[in-house]
Amino acid sequence: MVRVSLAAAVLVFALIGAGKPALAHPHVWIDLRVELLFDANGHLTGLRQTWLADELYSAFATEGFDGDGDGTPDSTALNALLAENLRNLKEYGYFTVVEDQRGPIATGEVTTFASTMRGPQLQMVFELPLARPYDPRAGDLRYAIYDPSYYISMLHAERDDAVSLVGAPDGCGLRVGKPPATAYEIAMAAAVGKEGQLPTGMGRIFAETVTVACAAH
């Protein structure tokens, strides 16, 4: 049985910490891996995202999922949890912003997803399609993945394939930009405990921005 969604789990995670020393933002950590998917025409069609949650959140979110007692959370329960998470995240664009020089690029609804355990960590994989294919040779494209409240820290994993281009045309490359947060903003986040809130949209300044550039036609 699915106990809580990602958003609800984060809220409960905060509540069960009441009475303990307040911790700074963020409270949940997710390592990202993103595959940018291109079609036969060299157009970007979507982002396949892999979210790997920290061990503490993973243990909390999957508590009670070991239905057969083998010590591993049941795959059916994990996928049901992810399905519920994605239904809630749809309202927030799946925490993903895609844009070019003209502004936001519309994305579609996630229908392909799977969840597994990687050791003690919960791994969630899903494909976020663009509303229509985008030709990156017409202009650079950028994306950022982040929780606007910065309750969850979401950064690309420290590995060579944290971001990859799948089926991209020749002449395409990418750059991962560091979060623009200043020392003051980092200190402000560190001073906010579990019961506190950062200014609306603060999570954006703690997000990495990935730029995809392709040679023009």
Side-chain angles (χ1 to χ4, degrees):
M1 180 179 68
V2 177
R3 299 176 65 245
V4 283
S5 67
L6 176 61
V10 170
L11 175 59
V12 175
F13 186 59
L15 294 177
I16 63 173
K20 298 180 181 179
L23 300 177
H25 275 59
H27 307 297
V28 178
W29 289 264
I30 290 177
D31 286 341
L32 299 170
R33 188 158 58 89
V34 178
E35 297 169 277
L36 294 136
L37 309 176
F38 292 78
D39 63 17
N41 296 317
H43 295 171
L44 181 68
T45 60
L47 292 78
R48 182 185 295 125
Q49 302 186 28
T50 299
W51 295 11
L52 185 64
D54 67 81
E55 292 186 21
L56 182 58
Y57 172 78
S58 297
F60 171 74
T62 62
E63 183 181 356
F65 280 14
D66 183 12
D68 56 11
D70 67 352
T72 303
D74 180 74
S75 60
T76 300
L78 290 177
N79 285 326
L81 173 64
L82 179 53
E84 178 64 15
N85 289 342
L86 292 169
R87 280 192 288 271
N88 289 333
L89 287 168
K90 179 181 177 181
E91 179 182 351
Y92 303 98
Y94 305 98
F95 284 173
T96 304
V97 175
V98 185
E99 58 189 2
D100 64 5
Q101 68 274 15
R102 293 165 294 186
I105 295 173
T107 55
E109 181 177 349
V110 171
T111 58
T112 301
F113 57 88
S115 185
T116 58
M117 296 299 295
R118 285 190 56 192
Q121 293 179 268
L122 175 64
Q123 178 174 274
M124 299 163 281
V125 182
F126 62 91
E127 291 186 14
L128 175 62
L130 301 187
R132 60 183 60 85
Y134 179 86
D135 186 353
R137 290 162 293 197
D140 293 356
L141 173 142
R142 298 177 299 277
Y143 78 79
I145 300 171
Y146 61 94
D147 169 14
S149 71
Y150 195 50
Y151 204 97
I152 305 171
S153 172
M154 308 180 74
L155 296 173
H156 293 87
E158 295 182 356
R159 47 188 289 177
D160 292 340
D161 64 346
V163 185
S164 57
L165 306 177
V166 180
D170 293 340
C172 290
L174 60 87
R175 182 180 69 257
V176 180
K178 294 181 178 180
T182 65
Y184 170 77
E185 290 162 336
I186 293 171
M188 181 170 63
V192 176
K194 287 184 177 179
E195 293 74 26
Q197 291 186 342
L198 291 169
T200 302
M202 192 74 168
R204 180 66 183 88
I205 66 172
F206 292 96
E208 295 165 323
T209 298
V210 174
T211 301
V212 178
C214 296
H217 291 291

